[in-house]
């Protein structure tokens, strides 16, 4: 059970939202972080959930130094939207899935301290992604909580997210389990939208071309009909019955 401090005491405690440290170790780590964050935000946009990136996770009320800043964390059953930081005792929910973009320099912190902490907090899944392939075999390693202990994930699946994870260069690829559809990263989504707009424009151009063709056919038919009527009128002026002409 989480102890609750009196409101007067809690209000005097300051929980920072930043520490002045860089968001990520390298461009590859930053890109993997931001891409994973955006993909999962889009995926869970209509769910009662939030996805936070590189923000302080406070796990002990009254102890602002007891904190970590997961690269990406997914929390279900909370109000959607961003936060300056995340306090477990205020939200009432522990993160469900956490991703860390790891490197050789953060190996000990990620594989020992954070793994143990997330296991104790009850985080259902913990994923380590090594964009540069510095120490994680095949770049991606996951742990799933079974009881109170983390076990290695062998099937490449995120059970809470219902997604399959694949390494794609220096990014994680996410695929829906129900239909195999890939969750597009921002530049892929932009390209897909561009192609959709282009296809719509081409379809509209074809419709317009068909409309113009039909209009030209209508005008030619009207012109031919007019010429026939003019010829009939000419014949009548010469006292010739047009209907007798085959």
């Amino acid at each position: 059970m989480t102890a609750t401090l009196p409101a007067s005491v809690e209000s005097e405690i300051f929980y920072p939202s930043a520490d002045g440290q860089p968001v990520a170790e390298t461009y590859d780590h930053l890109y993997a972080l931001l891409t994973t964050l955006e993909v999962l935000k889009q995926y869970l946009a209509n769910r009662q959930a939030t996805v936070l990136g590189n923000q302080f996770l406070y796990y002990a009320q009254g102890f602002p130094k007891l904190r970590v800043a997961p690269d990406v964390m997914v929390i279900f059953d909370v109000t959607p939207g961003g936060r300056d930081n995340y306090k477990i005792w205020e939200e009432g929910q522990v993160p469900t899935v956490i991703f860390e973009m790891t490197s050789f320099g953060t190996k000990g912190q990620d594989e020992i301290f954070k793994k143990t902490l997330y296991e104790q907090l009850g985080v259902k899944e913990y994923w380590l992604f090594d964009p540069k392939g510095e120490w994680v075999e095949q770049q991606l390693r996951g742990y799933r909580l079974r009881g109170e202990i983390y076990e290695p994930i062998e099937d490449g699946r995120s059970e809470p997210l219902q997604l399959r994870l694949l390494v794609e260069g220096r990014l994680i690829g996410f695929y829906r389990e129900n239909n195999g559809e890939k969750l597009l990263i921002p530049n892929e989504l932009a390209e897909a939208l561009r192609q959709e707009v282009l296809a719509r424009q081409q379809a509209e151009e074809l419709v317009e071309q068909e409309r113009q063709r039909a209009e030209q056919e209508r005008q030619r038919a009207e012109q031919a009909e007019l010429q026939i009527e003019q010829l009939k009128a000419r014949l009548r002026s010469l006292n010739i019955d047009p209907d007798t002409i085959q």
Side-chain angles (χ1 to χ4, degrees):
M1 180 180 295
T2 303
T4 302
L5 294 179
S8 59
V9 175
E10 175 67 7
S11 64
E12 296 174 359
I13 300 174
F14 176 59
Y15 298 90
S17 296
D19 58 4
Q21 298 299 314
V23 173
E25 187 171 302
T26 68
Y27 172 82
D28 289 327
H29 291 82
L30 178 62
Y31 187 48
L33 186 164
L34 295 177
T35 300
T36 299
L37 175 67
E38 188 60 30
V39 166
L40 295 180
K41 281 176 62 179
Q42 293 295 327
Y43 174 61
L44 298 171
N46 298 319
R47 302 279 295 276
Q48 195 69 14
T50 189
V51 185
L52 304 177
N54 193 50
Q55 289 168 287
F56 282 144
L57 167 66
Y58 289 98
Y59 52 89
Q61 186 179 10
F63 297 90
K65 291 186 178 181
L66 296 182
R67 67 196 186 200
V68 286
D71 286 331
V72 178
M73 54 180 168
V74 179
I75 309 106
F76 287 101
D77 300 319
V78 295
T79 303
R83 281 102 164 129
D84 291 335
N85 53 51
Y86 188 88
K87 305 181 186 73
I88 290 177
W89 62 91
E90 286 187 357
E91 304 275 357
Q93 295 292 338
V94 171
T96 305
V97 184
I98 287 179
F99 294 86
E100 295 287 359
M101 310 307 164
T102 189
S103 68
F104 189 80
T106 63
K107 176 181 177 181
Q109 182 83 352
D110 296 335
E111 178 69 2
I112 300 174
F113 170 72
K114 289 184 178 180
K115 177 172 175 282
T116 301
L117 174 64
Y118 298 155
E119 185 178 62
Q120 292 174 347
L121 290 176
V123 177
K124 290 183 180 180
E125 285 184 358
Y126 174 42
W127 293 87
L128 289 165
F129 180 58
D130 183 359
K132 291 179 176 290
E134 294 178 333
W135 72 274
V136 177
E137 185 177 356
Q138 298 181 341
Q139 294 179 254
L140 184 65
R141 176 181 299 175
Y143 298 96
R144 184 176 294 137
L145 202 62
R146 288 288 182 250
E148 298 181 351
I149 304 296
Y150 272 145
E151 295 180 353
I153 296 175
E154 304 291 352
D155 55 11
R157 298 171 49 248
S158 172
E159 287 185 351
L161 296 176
Q162 297 183 328
L163 295 173
R164 185 170 298 279
L165 280 60
L166 294 176
V167 174
E168 297 182 344
R170 299 195 173 188
L171 295 175
I172 304 173
F174 294 91
Y175 294 80
R176 297 177 188 269
E177 283 194 325
N178 58 351
N179 59 13
E181 178 186 9
K182 182 182 179 180
L183 304 185
L184 300 181
I185 65 176
N187 62 334
E188 290 174 336
L189 181 60
E191 176 60 20
L193 291 174
R194 191 187 72 81
Q195 291 295 335
E196 181 180 341
V197 170
L198 181 61
R200 187 182 301 116
Q201 289 175 340
Q202 291 174 340
E204 291 173 352
E205 289 173 358
L206 288 175
V207 170
E208 178 60 19
Q209 290 172 4
E210 181 61 24
R211 187 195 66 77
Q212 292 178 0
R213 187 193 65 77
E215 177 63 19
Q216 290 170 354
E217 289 294 331
R218 185 189 65 79
Q219 291 177 357
R220 281 196 290 267
E222 289 181 351
Q223 185 66 25
E225 184 67 23
L226 178 60
Q227 290 174 348
I228 291 172
E229 291 300 323
Q230 290 174 342
L231 178 59
K232 287 181 177 181
R234 177 63 177 165
L235 291 173
R236 291 190 186 99
S237 69
L238 297 173
N239 295 320
I240 300 174
D241 185 358
D243 294 333
T244 63
I245 300 176
Q246 299 298 322

